[in-house]
Each structure stands twice: as structure tokens, then as C-alpha cells.
């Protein structure tokens, strides 16, 4: 017999998240602090780093908090760095990336155009965490992004959705649960493995010509599961497991995007492969 308490607890948490984030805040509204050192539209890319970097946060993230580690890491290395908020739901402050992924890709398109116009660059590089590593692929495939993006780096990206360790397979056994997700938090429904959105995104292959792809995954990921589903197939793809670089790295889904400097080092390698240096455990101290 199934251990129902263990089964229901994560599923209930998923559904409660979908319901709770749609309740308008009645207390003090959370406001993201201004980004420090990035989103500087006067920044002009250097000869060493000729492409601006656009950072795309994950589900329930925002343009500041998701990048308090990586944005300064790239800025100090000479990159022009920008980040956007996308997928906002009405009445839900601070926690973004919840709207339909297809619509969010359109918001990314507008933001990239804004960054390119401000910096004068012909192309950008895109780095995304979780949904933010997957959603740009819609932009690349269907919205003309391949002509404006040189590289896409996904940190624990939901490229083929998630099973949440198998718990999403239980949704059909709870009448109305799938509809609740789709209505209240479309991005969660879009990222369930096997969703209609993911079938359309991945039909015909994972990649488009002219863009290089890097996926950085951790085997301790508890959100995008199984973790190998994050990997892409196709030409000009590099799939990296964090623990192959440093077996001592215990980062899970959140940590790999927020503060893991070993992952950050590999991001820098992907952005500038001509100057790439081996990523090891020691990279955490660079």
C-alpha cells in the first residue's frame, strides 16, 4: 500500500502554492530593492565581452533576488548585465514567473530588444535559472530570438518539465487539481512533464541553428526531476553535471542558481569559451 501521507504532502504543497500566490497581499507589499551594479543602460560592451548578458529568473523568482550572486560575479568580470521581471500575476507582488510561459517569452523578446538598442550590440547571451533556462527556448524557436542570441546557458533548466519526483503523476487522481494549476499559476502547469506546452516546445528537436547551448545541472535537484531531463540534445550543446566538476558540491535546485560559485565559473566559461579555464572545487574561491 502506498504511504499516502508521504505522497499527499508534496502534492498538497504544490496545490497550495498555486492557490496561495493568487491571493492579493493585504499587508505591506514586498518591493524588490534596486539592482546594484547591473541594469545599467549606459553600459557599453567591451571588446573582450562584446555581448550583453540577459539574466532570466526562475518560477517564483524576480529580477533582483535570483541574481544577487551571479549578476555581481559577471559585472566584476567586465560584462554588461541586465535582468527582467516576467510572468507577473495580478495581485501577486515579488514572486514572478507564474504566467503562461509562451507569454513570458514574448516579454523576454521585448526586453532583449531594449537591451540591444541601449547597448548597440548585435547579439546578447542569455543565462536563465530553472524556468528561466527553458522559457528562452520558445523565444529562440518561435519569436525570432535565434537571430539575436549567441548563447543560452540554463542553470537547472526545466527543459523537459518536471515530475516532482513522480508526484505530478498523481494529479489525475485529484479532480480539479490540474485545472487549478492551469488557471491560477499557468507556468506551473506548463512545466509539468508531458504538458501541451512542452510538447510544442520540444517538437522537432531541442535546439535551433546558430545558438550554442549549455546546461548546468546538479544531481541533488529536487525540483526539476529527474535531473537528466534538464539536458538537451542537438548540435552545439554542452550538458554539464556539477558533481562531475566538483564531487563535493551539494547544491540543490535553489542553491545552484543563487550562490554556487562553481556553477558561476562554468557560466563564465560558457559565455567566453575562448578564455575558459577548468572548473574545479577550487573555483568556489575565485
Amino acid at each position: 500500500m502506498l504511504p499516502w501521507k508521504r505522497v499527499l504532502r508534496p502534492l498538497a504543497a504544490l496545490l497550495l502554492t498555486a492557490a496561495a500566490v493568487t491571493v492579493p497581499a493585504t499587508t505591506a507589499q514586498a518591493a524588490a530593492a534596486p539592482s546594484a551594479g547591473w541594469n545599467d543602460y549606459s553600459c557599453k560592451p567591451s571588446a573582450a565581452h562584446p555581448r550583453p548578458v540577459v539574466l532570466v529568473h526562475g518560477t517564483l523568482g524576480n529580477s533582483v533576488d535570483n541574481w544577487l550572486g551571479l549578476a555581481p560575479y559577471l559585472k566584476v568580470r567586465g560584462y554588461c548585465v541586465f535582468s527582467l521581471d516576467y510572468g507577473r500575476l495580478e495581485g501577486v507582488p515579488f514572486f514572478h514567473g507564474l504566467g503562461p510561459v509562451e507569454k513570458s517569452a514574448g516579454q523576454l523578446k521585448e526586453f532583449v530588444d531594449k537591451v540591444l538598442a541601449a547597448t548597440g550590440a548585435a547579439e546578447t547571451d542569455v543565462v536563465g535559472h530553472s524556468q528561466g533556462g527553458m522559457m528562452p527556448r520558445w523565444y529562440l524557436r518561435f519569436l525570432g530570438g535565434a537571430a539575436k542570441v549567441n548563447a543560452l546557458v540554463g542553470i537547472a533548466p526545466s527543459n523537459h518539465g518536471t515530475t516532482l519526483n513522480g508526484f505530478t503523476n498523481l494529479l489525475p487522481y485529484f479532480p480539479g487539481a490540474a485545472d487549478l494549476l492551469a488557471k491560477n499559476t499557468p507556468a506551473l502547469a506548463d512545466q509539468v512533464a508531458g504538458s501541451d506546452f512542452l510538447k510544442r516546445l520540444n517538437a522537432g528537436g531541442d535546439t535551433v541553428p546558430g545558438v550554442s547551448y549549455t546546461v548546468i545541472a546538479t544531481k541533488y535537484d529536487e525540483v526539476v526531476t529527474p535531473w537528466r531531463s534538464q539536458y538537451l540534445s542537438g548540435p552545439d550543446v554542452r550538458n554539464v553535471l556539477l558533481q562531475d566538476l566538483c564531487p563535493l558540491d551539494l547544491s540543490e535546485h535553489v542553491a545552484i542558481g543563487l550562490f554556487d560559485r562553481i556553477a558561476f565559473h562554468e557560466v563564465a566559461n560558457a559565455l567566453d569559451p575562448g578564455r575558459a579555464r577548468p572548473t574545479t572545487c577550487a573555483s568556489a574561491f575565485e
Side-chain angles (χ1 to χ4, degrees):
M1 186 171 68
L2 287 174
W4 288 108
K5 289 185 178 180
R6 292 178 59 191
V7 169
L8 291 174
R9 190 177 298 119
L11 184 61
L14 175 66
L15 298 178
L16 285 173
T17 298
V21 297
T22 61
V23 178
T26 55
T27 56
Q29 299 290 302
S35 56
W38 75 94
N39 281 336
D40 176 5
Y41 286 90
S42 67
C43 185
K44 299 300 179 183
S46 65
H49 301 302
R51 293 178 298 275
V53 178
V54 171
L55 303 178
V56 188
H57 65 75
T59 307
L60 295 172
N62 62 64
S63 63
V64 176
D65 286 359
N66 212 139
W67 305 119
L68 290 173
L70 183 58
Y73 183 95
L74 295 176
K75 279 293 297 182
V76 77
R77 285 159 177 77
Y79 289 91
C80 292
V81 180
F82 301 86
S83 62
L84 76 156
D85 286 308
Y86 70 87
R88 298 182 181 183
L89 294 181
E90 185 177 354
V92 183
F94 192 68
F95 299 107
H96 306 315
L98 293 167
V101 179
E102 185 174 343
K103 182 177 179 181
S104 293
Q107 295 169 5
L108 174 62
K109 171 184 167 64
E110 294 176 0
F111 188 78
V112 168
D113 288 345
K114 178 181 177 181
V115 168
L116 292 179
T119 60
E123 289 184 309
T124 186
D125 290 324
V126 175
V127 180
H129 178 221
S130 194
Q131 180 190 166
M134 173 274 292
M135 175 268 280
R137 293 179 49 229
W138 187 276
Y139 165 53
L140 298 179
R141 181 178 292 276
F142 298 112
L143 302 179
K148 300 178 181 180
V149 175
N150 169 71
L152 172 61
V153 183
I155 305 172
S158 52
N159 280 320
H160 299 97
T162 179
T163 67
L164 281 177
N165 288 308
F167 290 113
T168 59
N169 297 329
L170 297 174
L171 286 173
Y173 296 98
F174 295 84
D179 291 339
L180 175 64
L181 283 182
K183 179 180 179 180
N184 288 346
T185 53
L188 294 182
D190 285 345
Q191 291 177 89
V192 172
S195 72
D196 289 340
F197 170 81
L198 288 169
K199 289 177 181 176
R200 288 183 290 144
L201 172 64
N202 294 313
D206 292 344
T207 64
V208 296
V211 180
S212 66
Y213 296 81
T214 301
V215 172
I216 305 171
T218 171
K219 68 180 182 181
Y220 300 114
D221 200 311
E222 78 287 19
V223 175
V224 180
T225 62
W227 62 263
R228 288 181 180 84
S229 69
Q230 300 171 23
Y231 283 177
L232 296 173
S233 298
D236 209 0
V237 170
R238 183 165 183 261
N239 294 311
V240 180
L241 180 63
L242 200 58
Q243 285 71 36
D244 287 342
L245 306 176
C246 176
L248 301 177
D249 196 317
L250 302 179
S251 288
E252 42 65 68
H253 184 79
V254 174
I256 190 177
L258 291 187
F259 54 76
D260 191 313
R261 291 176 67 89
I262 297 171
F264 294 174
H265 190 274
E266 195 60 18
V267 169
N269 280 348
L271 295 177
D272 192 359
R275 297 182 177 86
R277 293 175 289 110
T279 301
T280 67
C281 294
S283 300
F285 305 102
E286 295 183 8

